[in-house]
Amino acid sequence: INLQNQQPYAGKIVSKKLMAKQNQKDKMTQEIQIHASLKHKNVVGFHSFFEDNYIIYIVLELCQRRSMMELHKRRKALTKPETRFYMRQILNGVHYLHRNRIIHRDLKLGNLFLNDELHVKIGDFGLAAKIEYEGERKKTLCGTPNYIAPEILNKEGHSYEVDIWSVGCIMYALLIGKPPFETNDLKETYARIKKCD
């Protein structure tokens, strides 16, 4: 809590033991740099960060209603008007990220947070990447199975379109009550995504 204005914040706490390798430290630095550069009503607010010998502390906007994953578990399928209400906000946030040359690369219900007014806030920039030049294609295999785009699985290079794919999967999950390519077997899920089945 900010003692001046009694404003509560959320804290993301990361143990330095989890960052033994240099590339893990670099990823944490990149996540902080990307998130700190963003300011939009549909992106979780970044306030500050600090560290001691053992832990990195990231101070973020508190989203009291948790994530859309909890909403999904409680409600399963939403109505079309509710889905429109959320999709508009998700797309506003994604549009802002893309205008600022950021690909999120892990858009899913668990990374879409809700404040007291049920406004969507995109969070968790741990897999986000900045497009450094026009036409750049990223090669990293990353994302969450049910929302991962075929461009990532095919390893031929990807860009903003992978977020748009994930947004489509989110919309499907909100309307139908489960993600579009979900199976009990990871290989089968990936095969379905590649075939767009």
Side-chain angles (χ1 to χ4, degrees), residues 38-101:
L38 303 172
K39 190 167 178 58
H40 188 269
K41 65 181 180 179
N42 296 117
V43 173
V44 171
F46 181 99
H47 289 282
S48 61
F49 79 98
F50 56 96
E51 60 185 301
D52 59 27
N53 291 334
Y54 308 101
I55 292 172
I56 295 172
Y57 305 85
I58 304 173
V59 183
L60 302 166
E61 175 183 6
L62 180 62
C63 297
Q64 302 263 33
R65 298 293 184 96
R66 302 176 68 191
S67 78
M68 291 195 77
M69 181 58 90
E70 279 81 28
L71 178 73
H72 170 70
K73 282 179 181 162
R74 251 192 347 266
R75 294 276 314 279
K76 291 295 177 224
L78 300 183
T79 65
K80 286 181 185 175
E82 286 172 314
T83 301
R84 276 198 299 271
F85 173 79
Y86 290 121
M87 287 304 299
R88 183 182 179 118
Q89 295 176 60
I90 294 164
L91 288 165
N92 273 340
V94 171
H95 185 239
Y96 168 79
L97 295 180
H98 291 182
R99 271 202 332 264
N100 286 279
R101 305 212 319 267

Coordinates of all heavy atoms in Angstrom, one line a residue, residues 38-101:
L38 N 5.0 1.0 -21.2 CA 3.6 1.0 -21.6 C 2.7 1.7 -20.7 O 2.9 1.6 -19.4 CB 3.1 -0.5 -21.7 CG 3.9 -1.4 -22.6 CD1 3.5 -2.8 -22.5 CD2 3.8 -1.0 -24.1
K39 N 1.7 2.5 -21.2 CA 0.7 3.1 -20.4 C -0.6 3.2 -21.2 O -0.7 4.0 -22.2 CB 1.2 4.6 -20.0 CG 0.4 5.2 -19.0 CD 1.0 6.5 -18.4 CE 0.2 7.2 -17.4 NZ -0.2 6.4 -16.3
H40 N -1.5 2.4 -20.8 CA -2.8 2.3 -21.5 C -3.9 1.8 -20.6 O -3.6 0.9 -19.7 CB -2.7 1.4 -22.8 CG -3.8 1.4 -23.7 ND1 -4.9 0.5 -23.5 CD2 -4.2 2.2 -24.7 CE1 -5.8 0.7 -24.5 NE2 -5.4 1.8 -25.2
K41 N -5.1 2.2 -20.8 CA -6.2 1.8 -19.9 C -6.4 0.3 -19.9 O -7.0 -0.3 -19.0 CB -7.5 2.5 -20.2 CG -8.0 2.3 -21.6 CD -9.3 3.1 -21.8 CE -9.9 2.8 -23.2 NZ -11.1 3.5 -23.5
N42 N -6.0 -0.4 -21.0 CA -6.2 -1.9 -21.1 C -4.9 -2.7 -20.9 O -4.8 -3.8 -21.4 CB -6.9 -2.2 -22.4 CG -8.3 -1.6 -22.5 OD1 -8.6 -0.8 -23.3 ND2 -9.2 -2.0 -21.5
V43 N -3.9 -2.1 -20.3 CA -2.7 -2.8 -20.0 C -2.5 -2.6 -18.5 O -2.6 -1.5 -17.9 CB -1.5 -2.2 -20.8 CG1 -0.2 -2.8 -20.3 CG2 -1.7 -2.4 -22.3
V44 N -2.1 -3.7 -17.8 CA -1.8 -3.6 -16.3 C -0.8 -2.5 -16.1 O 0.3 -2.5 -16.8 CB -1.3 -4.9 -15.8 CG1 -0.8 -4.8 -14.3 CG2 -2.4 -6.0 -15.8
G45 N -1.1 -1.5 -15.2 CA -0.1 -0.4 -14.9 C 1.1 -0.9 -14.3 O 1.1 -1.7 -13.4
F46 N 2.3 -0.4 -14.8 CA 3.6 -0.7 -14.2 C 4.0 0.5 -13.3 O 4.0 1.7 -13.8 CB 4.6 -0.9 -15.3 CG 6.0 -1.2 -14.8 CD1 6.4 -2.5 -14.8 CD2 6.9 -0.2 -14.3 CE1 7.7 -2.8 -14.3 CE2 8.1 -0.5 -13.9 CZ 8.6 -1.8 -13.9
H47 N 4.3 0.3 -12.1 CA 4.6 1.4 -11.2 C 6.1 1.5 -10.9 O 6.7 2.6 -11.1 CB 3.8 1.3 -9.9 CG 2.4 1.6 -10.0 ND1 1.9 2.9 -10.2 CD2 1.3 0.8 -10.2 CE1 0.6 2.8 -10.4 NE2 0.2 1.6 -10.4
S48 N 6.8 0.5 -10.5 CA 8.2 0.5 -10.3 C 8.7 -0.9 -10.0 O 8.0 -1.9 -10.0 CB 8.5 1.4 -9.0 OG 7.8 0.8 -7.9
F49 N 10.0 -1.0 -9.9 CA 10.6 -2.2 -9.5 C 11.8 -2.0 -8.6 O 12.4 -0.9 -8.7 CB 11.0 -3.1 -10.7 CG 12.3 -2.7 -11.3 CD1 13.5 -3.4 -11.1 CD2 12.3 -1.7 -12.2 CE1 14.6 -3.0 -11.7 CE2 13.5 -1.3 -12.8 CZ 14.7 -2.0 -12.6
F50 N 12.2 -2.9 -7.8 CA 13.4 -2.8 -7.0 C 13.9 -4.2 -6.7 O 13.2 -5.2 -6.9 CB 13.2 -2.0 -5.7 CG 12.1 -2.5 -4.8 CD1 12.3 -3.3 -3.7 CD2 10.8 -2.1 -5.0 CE1 11.3 -3.8 -2.9 CE2 9.7 -2.6 -4.2 CZ 10.0 -3.4 -3.1
E51 N 15.1 -4.3 -6.1 CA 15.6 -5.7 -5.9 C 16.5 -5.7 -4.6 O 17.0 -4.6 -4.2 CB 16.4 -6.2 -7.1 CG 17.6 -5.3 -7.5 CD 18.2 -5.8 -8.7 OE1 18.7 -7.0 -8.8 OE2 18.3 -5.0 -9.7
D52 N 16.7 -6.9 -4.0 CA 17.7 -7.1 -3.0 C 18.6 -8.2 -3.5 O 18.6 -8.5 -4.7 CB 17.1 -7.3 -1.6 CG 16.1 -8.6 -1.6 OD1 16.4 -9.5 -2.4 OD2 15.2 -8.6 -0.8
N53 N 19.3 -8.8 -2.6 CA 20.3 -9.8 -3.0 C 19.6 -11.1 -3.5 O 20.2 -11.9 -4.2 CB 21.2 -10.2 -1.9 CG 22.2 -9.1 -1.6 OD1 22.5 -8.2 -2.5 ND2 22.7 -9.0 -0.4
Y54 N 18.3 -11.3 -3.1 CA 17.7 -12.6 -3.4 C 16.5 -12.5 -4.4 O 16.1 -13.4 -5.0 CB 17.2 -13.2 -2.1 CG 18.3 -13.3 -1.1 CD1 18.4 -12.3 0.0 CD2 19.3 -14.3 -1.1 CE1 19.4 -12.4 0.9 CE2 20.3 -14.3 -0.2 CZ 20.3 -13.4 0.8 OH 21.4 -13.5 1.7
I55 N 15.8 -11.3 -4.4 CA 14.5 -11.2 -5.1 C 14.4 -9.9 -5.9 O 15.0 -8.9 -5.5 CB 13.4 -11.2 -4.0 CG1 13.3 -12.6 -3.4 CG2 12.0 -10.9 -4.6 CD1 12.4 -12.8 -2.2
I56 N 13.7 -10.0 -7.0 CA 13.3 -8.8 -7.8 C 11.8 -8.6 -7.5 O 11.0 -9.5 -7.6 CB 13.5 -9.0 -9.3 CG1 15.0 -9.1 -9.6 CG2 12.9 -7.8 -10.1 CD1 15.4 -9.5 -11.0
Y57 N 11.5 -7.4 -7.1 CA 10.1 -7.0 -6.8 C 9.6 -6.1 -7.9 O 10.2 -5.0 -8.1 CB 10.0 -6.3 -5.5 CG 10.6 -7.0 -4.3 CD1 12.0 -6.9 -4.0 CD2 9.8 -7.8 -3.5 CE1 12.5 -7.6 -3.0 CE2 10.4 -8.5 -2.4 CZ 11.7 -8.4 -2.2 OH 12.3 -9.1 -1.1
I58 N 8.4 -6.4 -8.5 CA 7.8 -5.5 -9.5 C 6.5 -5.1 -9.0 O 5.7 -5.9 -8.6 CB 7.6 -6.3 -10.9 CG1 9.0 -6.8 -11.4 CG2 7.1 -5.3 -11.9 CD1 8.9 -7.7 -12.6
V59 N 6.3 -3.8 -8.9 CA 5.1 -3.2 -8.4 C 4.1 -2.8 -9.5 O 4.5 -2.0 -10.4 CB 5.4 -1.9 -7.5 CG1 4.2 -1.4 -6.8 CG2 6.5 -2.3 -6.4
L60 N 2.9 -3.4 -9.5 CA 2.0 -3.3 -10.6 C 0.6 -2.8 -10.1 O 0.3 -2.9 -8.9 CB 1.8 -4.7 -11.2 CG 3.1 -5.3 -11.8 CD1 2.8 -6.8 -12.1 CD2 3.6 -4.6 -13.0
E61 N -0.2 -2.4 -11.0 CA -1.6 -2.1 -10.7 C -2.3 -3.3 -10.2 O -2.1 -4.4 -10.7 CB -2.3 -1.6 -12.0 CG -3.7 -1.4 -11.9 CD -4.3 -1.0 -13.3 OE1 -3.6 -1.0 -14.3 OE2 -5.5 -0.7 -13.3
L62 N -3.1 -3.1 -9.1 CA -3.8 -4.3 -8.5 C -5.1 -4.4 -9.3 O -5.9 -3.5 -9.4 CB -4.1 -4.0 -7.1 CG -4.9 -5.1 -6.3 CD1 -4.1 -6.4 -6.3 CD2 -5.2 -4.6 -4.9
C63 N -5.4 -5.7 -9.8 CA -6.6 -6.0 -10.4 C -7.4 -6.9 -9.5 O -7.2 -8.1 -9.5 CB -6.3 -6.6 -11.8 SG -5.5 -5.6 -12.9
Q64 N -8.3 -6.3 -8.8 CA -9.0 -7.0 -7.7 C -9.8 -8.2 -8.1 O -10.1 -9.1 -7.4 CB -10.0 -6.0 -6.9 CG -9.3 -4.8 -6.4 CD -8.9 -4.9 -4.9 OE1 -8.6 -6.0 -4.4 NE2 -8.9 -3.8 -4.2
R65 N -10.3 -8.1 -9.4 CA -11.2 -9.2 -9.9 C -10.4 -10.4 -10.5 O -11.0 -11.2 -11.2 CB -12.2 -8.7 -10.8 CG -13.2 -7.7 -10.2 CD -14.1 -8.3 -9.2 NE -15.1 -7.3 -8.7 CZ -16.3 -7.2 -9.1 NH1 -16.8 -8.0 -10.1 NH2 -17.2 -6.3 -8.6
R66 N -9.1 -10.3 -10.3 CA -8.2 -11.4 -10.7 C -8.2 -11.5 -12.3 O -8.3 -10.5 -12.9 CB -8.6 -12.7 -10.0 CG -8.4 -12.5 -8.5 CD -8.8 -13.7 -7.7 NE -7.9 -14.8 -7.9 CZ -8.2 -16.0 -7.5 NH1 -9.3 -16.3 -6.8 NH2 -7.3 -17.0 -7.6
S67 N -8.2 -12.7 -12.8 CA -8.1 -12.8 -14.3 C -9.3 -13.3 -14.9 O -10.2 -13.8 -14.3 CB -6.9 -13.7 -14.7 OG -7.2 -15.1 -14.5
M68 N -9.4 -13.3 -16.3 CA -10.5 -13.8 -17.0 C -10.6 -15.3 -16.9 O -11.6 -15.9 -17.2 CB -10.5 -13.4 -18.5 CG -10.7 -11.9 -18.6 SD -11.1 -11.4 -20.3 CE -12.8 -11.9 -20.4
M69 N -9.5 -15.9 -16.5 CA -9.5 -17.4 -16.3 C -10.5 -17.8 -15.1 O -11.2 -18.7 -15.3 CB -8.1 -17.9 -15.9 CG -8.0 -19.4 -15.7 SD -8.6 -20.3 -17.1 CE -7.1 -20.5 -18.0
E70 N -10.5 -17.0 -14.1 CA -11.4 -17.2 -13.0 C -12.8 -17.0 -13.4 O -13.7 -17.8 -13.1 CB -11.1 -16.3 -11.8 CG -10.0 -16.8 -10.9 CD -8.6 -16.5 -11.4 OE1 -8.5 -15.5 -12.1 OE2 -7.6 -17.2 -11.1
L71 N -13.0 -16.0 -14.2 CA -14.4 -15.7 -14.8 C -14.8 -16.9 -15.6 O -16.0 -17.3 -15.5 CB -14.3 -14.4 -15.6 CG -15.6 -14.0 -16.3 CD1 -16.6 -13.4 -15.3 CD2 -15.4 -12.9 -17.4
H72 N -13.9 -17.4 -16.4 CA -14.2 -18.5 -17.3 C -14.6 -19.8 -16.5 O -15.5 -20.5 -16.9 CB -13.0 -18.7 -18.2 CG -13.0 -20.0 -19.0 ND1 -13.9 -20.2 -20.1 CD2 -12.3 -21.1 -18.9 CE1 -13.7 -21.4 -20.6 NE2 -12.8 -22.0 -19.9
K73 N -13.8 -20.0 -15.5 CA -14.1 -21.2 -14.7 C -15.4 -21.1 -14.0 O -16.1 -22.1 -13.9 CB -13.0 -21.4 -13.6 CG -11.7 -21.9 -14.1 CD -10.6 -22.1 -13.1 CE -9.3 -22.6 -13.7 NZ -8.2 -22.4 -12.8
R74 N -15.8 -19.9 -13.6 CA -17.1 -19.7 -12.9 C -18.2 -19.8 -13.9 O -19.3 -20.4 -13.6 CB -17.1 -18.3 -12.2 CG -17.0 -18.4 -10.7 CD -17.3 -17.0 -10.1 NE -17.4 -15.8 -10.9 CZ -16.4 -15.0 -11.1 NH1 -15.2 -15.3 -10.5 NH2 -16.5 -13.9 -11.8
R75 N -18.1 -19.2 -15.0 CA -19.2 -19.0 -16.0 C -19.2 -19.9 -17.2 O -20.3 -20.1 -17.8 CB -19.2 -17.5 -16.4 CG -19.4 -16.5 -15.4 CD -20.9 -16.3 -15.1 NE -21.7 -16.1 -16.3 CZ -21.8 -15.0 -17.1 NH1 -21.2 -13.9 -16.7 NH2 -22.5 -15.0 -18.2
K76 N -18.1 -20.5 -17.5 CA -17.9 -21.2 -18.8 C -18.2 -20.2 -20.0 O -17.7 -19.2 -20.1 CB -18.8 -22.4 -18.9 CG -18.2 -23.5 -17.9 CD -16.8 -24.0 -18.4 CE -16.3 -25.0 -17.4 NZ -14.9 -24.8 -17.1
A77 N -19.2 -20.5 -20.8 CA -19.5 -19.6 -22.0 C -20.2 -18.3 -21.5 O -21.0 -18.4 -20.6 CB -20.4 -20.4 -23.0
L78 N -19.8 -17.2 -22.1 CA -20.4 -15.9 -21.9 C -21.4 -15.6 -23.0 O -21.4 -16.3 -24.0 CB -19.3 -14.8 -21.8 CG -18.2 -15.0 -20.8 CD1 -17.3 -13.7 -20.9 CD2 -18.8 -15.1 -19.4
T79 N -22.3 -14.6 -22.7 CA -23.2 -14.2 -23.8 C -22.5 -13.4 -24.8 O -21.4 -12.9 -24.6 CB -24.3 -13.3 -23.2 OG1 -23.7 -12.1 -22.7 CG2 -25.0 -14.0 -22.0
K80 N -23.1 -13.2 -26.0 CA -22.5 -12.4 -27.1 C -22.3 -11.0 -26.6 O -21.2 -10.5 -26.9 CB -23.3 -12.5 -28.3 CG -23.2 -13.8 -29.0 CD -24.0 -13.9 -30.3 CE -24.0 -15.3 -30.9 NZ -24.9 -15.3 -32.1
P81 N -23.2 -10.3 -26.0 CA -22.9 -8.9 -25.5 C -21.8 -8.9 -24.5 O -20.9 -7.9 -24.6 CB -24.2 -8.5 -24.8 CG -25.3 -9.4 -25.5 CD -24.6 -10.7 -25.8
E82 N -21.7 -9.8 -23.6 CA -20.5 -9.8 -22.7 C -19.2 -10.0 -23.4 O -18.2 -9.4 -23.1 CB -20.7 -11.0 -21.6 CG -21.8 -10.7 -20.6 CD -22.0 -12.0 -19.8 OE1 -22.2 -13.1 -20.3 OE2 -22.1 -11.8 -18.5
T83 N -19.2 -11.0 -24.4 CA -18.0 -11.2 -25.2 C -17.6 -10.0 -25.9 O -16.4 -9.6 -26.0 CB -18.3 -12.4 -26.1 OG1 -18.6 -13.6 -25.3 CG2 -17.0 -12.8 -26.9
R84 N -18.6 -9.3 -26.5 CA -18.3 -8.0 -27.2 C -17.6 -7.0 -26.3 O -16.7 -6.4 -26.7 CB -19.5 -7.4 -27.9 CG -19.9 -8.0 -29.2 CD -20.9 -7.1 -30.0 NE -22.1 -6.9 -29.2 CZ -23.2 -7.7 -29.4 NH1 -23.1 -8.8 -30.2 NH2 -24.3 -7.5 -28.7
F85 N -18.2 -6.9 -25.1 CA -17.7 -6.0 -24.1 C -16.2 -6.2 -23.8 O -15.4 -5.3 -23.8 CB -18.6 -6.1 -22.8 CG -18.0 -5.3 -21.6 CD1 -18.3 -4.0 -21.5 CD2 -17.4 -6.0 -20.6 CE1 -17.8 -3.3 -20.4 CE2 -16.9 -5.3 -19.5 CZ -17.1 -3.9 -19.4
Y86 N -15.9 -7.5 -23.6 CA -14.5 -7.8 -23.3 C -13.6 -7.8 -24.5 O -12.5 -7.3 -24.4 CB -14.4 -9.2 -22.6 CG -15.0 -9.2 -21.2 CD1 -16.0 -10.1 -20.9 CD2 -14.5 -8.4 -20.2 CE1 -16.6 -10.1 -19.6 CE2 -15.0 -8.4 -19.0 CZ -16.0 -9.3 -18.7 OH -16.6 -9.3 -17.4
M87 N -14.1 -8.3 -25.6 CA -13.3 -8.3 -26.9 C -12.8 -6.9 -27.3 O -11.7 -6.7 -27.7 CB -14.0 -9.0 -28.0 CG -14.1 -10.5 -27.8 SD -12.5 -11.3 -27.7 CE -11.7 -10.9 -29.2
R88 N -13.7 -5.9 -27.2 CA -13.4 -4.6 -27.6 C -12.2 -4.1 -26.8 O -11.3 -3.4 -27.3 CB -14.6 -3.7 -27.4 CG -14.3 -2.2 -27.8 CD -15.5 -1.3 -27.6 NE -15.1 0.0 -28.0 CZ -15.6 0.7 -29.0 NH1 -16.6 0.2 -29.7 NH2 -15.2 1.9 -29.3
Q89 N -12.2 -4.4 -25.5 CA -11.1 -3.9 -24.6 C -9.8 -4.7 -24.9 O -8.7 -4.0 -24.9 CB -11.5 -4.1 -23.1 CG -12.7 -3.3 -22.7 CD -13.1 -3.6 -21.3 OE1 -12.3 -3.4 -20.4 NE2 -14.3 -4.1 -21.1
I90 N -9.9 -6.0 -25.1 CA -8.7 -6.8 -25.4 C -8.1 -6.2 -26.7 O -6.9 -6.0 -26.8 CB -9.1 -8.3 -25.6 CG1 -9.6 -8.8 -24.2 CG2 -7.9 -9.1 -26.1 CD1 -10.3 -10.2 -24.3
L91 N -8.9 -6.0 -27.7 CA -8.4 -5.5 -29.0 C -7.9 -4.1 -28.9 O -6.9 -3.8 -29.5 CB -9.5 -5.5 -30.1 CG -9.9 -7.0 -30.5 CD1 -11.2 -7.0 -31.3 CD2 -8.8 -7.5 -31.4
N92 N -8.5 -3.2 -28.0 CA -7.9 -1.9 -27.8 C -6.5 -2.0 -27.2 O -5.5 -1.3 -27.7 CB -8.7 -1.1 -26.8 CG -9.8 -0.4 -27.4 OD1 -9.8 -0.1 -28.6 ND2 -10.9 0.0 -26.6
G93 N -6.3 -2.9 -26.2 CA -5.0 -3.1 -25.6 C -4.0 -3.7 -26.6 O -2.8 -3.2 -26.7
V94 N -4.4 -4.7 -27.4 CA -3.5 -5.3 -28.4 C -3.1 -4.3 -29.5 O -1.9 -4.2 -29.9 CB -4.2 -6.6 -29.0 CG1 -3.3 -7.1 -30.2 CG2 -4.3 -7.7 -27.9
H95 N -4.1 -3.5 -29.9 CA -3.8 -2.5 -30.9 C -2.7 -1.5 -30.4 O -1.8 -1.1 -31.1 CB -5.1 -1.7 -31.3 CG -4.9 -0.7 -32.4 ND1 -5.2 0.6 -32.2 CD2 -4.5 -0.9 -33.6 CE1 -4.9 1.2 -33.3 NE2 -4.5 0.4 -34.2
Y96 N -2.9 -1.1 -29.1 CA -1.9 -0.2 -28.5 C -0.5 -0.9 -28.5 O 0.5 -0.3 -28.8 CB -2.3 0.1 -27.1 CG -1.2 0.8 -26.3 CD1 -1.0 2.1 -26.4 CD2 -0.5 0.1 -25.3 CE1 0.1 2.8 -25.7 CE2 0.5 0.7 -24.6 CZ 0.8 2.0 -24.8 OH 1.8 2.6 -24.0
L97 N -0.4 -2.2 -28.1 CA 0.9 -2.9 -28.0 C 1.5 -2.9 -29.4 O 2.7 -2.6 -29.6 CB 0.7 -4.3 -27.5 CG 0.2 -4.5 -26.1 CD1 0.1 -6.0 -25.8 CD2 1.2 -3.8 -25.1
H98 N 0.7 -3.2 -30.4 CA 1.2 -3.4 -31.8 C 1.7 -2.0 -32.4 O 2.7 -1.9 -33.1 CB 0.2 -4.1 -32.7 CG 0.0 -5.5 -32.4 ND1 -0.8 -6.3 -33.1 CD2 0.6 -6.3 -31.4 CE1 -0.7 -7.6 -32.6 NE2 0.1 -7.5 -31.5
R99 N 0.9 -0.9 -32.0 CA 1.4 0.4 -32.4 C 2.7 0.8 -31.8 O 3.5 1.5 -32.4 CB 0.3 1.5 -32.0 CG -0.8 1.7 -32.9 CD -1.5 3.1 -32.7 NE -1.4 3.6 -31.4 CZ -2.4 3.5 -30.5 NH1 -3.5 2.8 -30.8 NH2 -2.3 4.0 -29.3
N100 N 3.0 0.2 -30.7 CA 4.3 0.4 -30.0 C 5.3 -0.7 -30.3 O 6.3 -0.8 -29.6 CB 4.0 0.6 -28.5 CG 3.4 1.9 -28.2 OD1 4.1 2.9 -28.1 ND2 2.1 2.0 -28.0
R101 N 5.0 -1.4 -31.4 CA 5.9 -2.5 -31.9 C 6.2 -3.6 -30.8 O 7.3 -4.1 -30.8 CB 7.2 -1.9 -32.4 CG 7.0 -0.8 -33.4 CD 8.1 -0.7 -34.4 NE 9.5 -0.8 -33.9 CZ 10.2 0.2 -33.6 NH1 9.8 1.4 -33.6 NH2 11.5 0.0 -33.1

